């Protein structure tokens, strides 16, 4: 799952990004409301963590604009303001939850999971390609009923591929979908993680799911199961 952090304090944004990536989420950062809206225009985020106090366009303005144009993406609002009136205003403008600073990271994680679960009724929770199954709520992965342990980036790459089962995806698409937009496009990191996935998902089984499309990228060969 891909999250967007909208936070102008780099130290806080970096802390949140590192912690969320350790929990298998792909994470982007925007430090202004304008940049956040531009990223949301081109990227299908699963949740936005939105600071209330931003330079220029406030978090309240960002949330209001998202809802005005029909975006249903969950929004978890962060703020140093503790007044009940501020929390009520944020919720009335479309925020799904509200967390005041300073906060404990485990609580933020719990609120992220809760918001994603509530939103899951409109999204697929279980992805299946052949006998490969991925649960986006629990991050459990199995093949032929056998549990497979994946590290954070392995999981993120696999989820990206499974959501596009049967489609050819380029290395650049995977880089932009799993890593930061400023990641070196000449890096071979995608190929490295595909090799890791093949060792765990394909090598022990007669049917190989990950197909290389020479000069282009990769594809999961089996049809997705509804």
């Amino acid at each position: 799952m891909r999250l967007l952090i909208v936070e102008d304090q780099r130290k806080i944004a970096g802390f949140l990004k590192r912690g969320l990536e350790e929990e298998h989420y792909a994470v982007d950062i925007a430090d202004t409301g304008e940049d956040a809206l531009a990223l949301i225009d081109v990227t299908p985020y699963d949740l936005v963590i939105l600071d209330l106090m931003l330079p220029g366009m406030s978090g309240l303005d960002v949330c209001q604009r998202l809802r005005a144009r029909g975006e249903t993406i969950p929004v978890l609002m962060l703020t140093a303001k503790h007044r009940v009136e501020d929390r009520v205003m944020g919720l009335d403008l479309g925020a799904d939850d509200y967390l005041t600073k300073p906060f404990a990271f485990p609580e933020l994680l719990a609120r992220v999971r809760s918001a994603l679960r509530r939103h899951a009724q409109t999204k697929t929770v279980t992805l299946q390609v052949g006998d490969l199954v991925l649960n986006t709520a629990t991050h459990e992965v199995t093949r032929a009923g056998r549990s497979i342990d994946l590290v954070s980036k392995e999981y993120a790459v696999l989820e990206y591929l499974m959501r596009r089962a049967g489609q050819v995806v380029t290395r650049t698409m995977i880089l932009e979908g799993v890593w930061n937009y400023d990641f070196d496009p000449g890096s071979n990191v995608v190929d490295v993680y595909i090799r890791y996935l093949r060792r765990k998902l394909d090598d022990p089984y007669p049917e190989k799911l990950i197909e290389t499309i020479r000069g282009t990228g990769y594809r999961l060969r089996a049809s997705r199961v509804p």
Side-chain angles (χ1 to χ4, degrees):
M1 289 188 174
R2 192 167 197 85
L3 313 184
L4 175 63
I5 298 171
V6 190
E7 170 63 71
D8 63 315
Q9 297 186 44
R10 293 186 177 182
K11 186 174 181 179
I12 294 176
F15 165 75
L16 292 176
K17 178 179 170 64
R18 288 190 297 273
L20 289 166
E21 287 181 336
E22 289 177 0
E23 296 296 321
H24 306 300
Y25 297 107
V27 182
D28 292 326
I29 295 176
D31 55 11
T32 68
E34 292 83 356
D35 287 347
L37 291 173
L39 283 173
I40 293 169
D41 280 339
V42 299
T43 305
Y45 290 106
D46 296 287
L47 180 139
V48 176
I49 298 174
L50 178 62
D51 186 36
L52 179 64
M53 303 297 291
L54 296 169
M57 184 186 299
S58 72
L60 290 175
D61 291 334
V62 173
C63 189
Q64 188 173 28
R65 292 196 185 192
L66 287 176
R67 298 310 183 221
R69 68 192 199 186
E71 294 278 0
T72 60
I73 178 175
V75 174
L76 171 58
M77 193 164 282
L78 305 180
T79 183
K81 293 185 176 183
H82 293 260
R83 296 192 312 161
V84 172
E85 294 88 343
D86 295 315
R87 296 197 294 274
V88 170
M89 183 179 296
L91 294 170
D92 283 345
L93 288 177
D96 295 85
D97 202 353
Y98 210 103
L99 189 59
T100 55
K101 300 176 181 178
F103 53 83
F105 186 71
E107 182 181 2
L108 179 133
L109 276 179
R111 291 178 181 271
V112 166
R113 290 193 297 266
S114 177
L116 290 172
R117 281 197 303 269
R118 291 195 299 270
H119 194 60
Q121 59 184 343
T122 61
K123 300 191 70 174
T124 301
V125 174
T126 300
L127 303 176
Q128 185 166 353
V129 177
D131 58 356
L132 178 65
V133 180
L134 181 149
N135 187 305
T136 61
T138 64
H139 291 175
E140 295 176 339
V141 177
T142 63
R143 182 160 188 198
R146 176 184 173 188
S147 179
I148 299 173
D149 292 327
L150 301 179
V151 300
S152 176
K153 280 295 185 285
E154 290 172 348
Y155 174 91
V157 172
L158 178 61
E159 182 181 351
Y160 187 90
L161 292 173
M162 292 186 73
R163 288 190 181 277
R164 295 155 184 82
Q167 303 175 26
V168 177
V169 293
T170 66
R171 291 170 178 82
T172 300
M173 289 170 62
I174 298 173
L175 276 174
E176 292 180 352
V178 176
W179 283 269
N180 293 336
Y181 280 93
D182 58 357
F183 203 93
D184 180 8
S187 169
N188 71 337
V189 67
V190 170
D191 302 306
V192 170
Y193 275 91
I194 290 293
R195 286 200 297 271
Y196 293 160
L197 286 175
R198 279 179 165 148
R199 289 173 188 167
K200 295 182 178 183
L201 302 176
D202 274 352
D203 288 356
Y205 303 92
E207 182 184 2
K208 310 307 178 186
L209 299 181
I210 302 175
E211 179 183 12
T212 297
I213 309 300
R214 292 192 179 277
T216 304
Y218 300 96
R219 175 173 59 197
L220 284 187
R221 301 179 60 183
S223 298
R224 184 186 303 170
V225 175

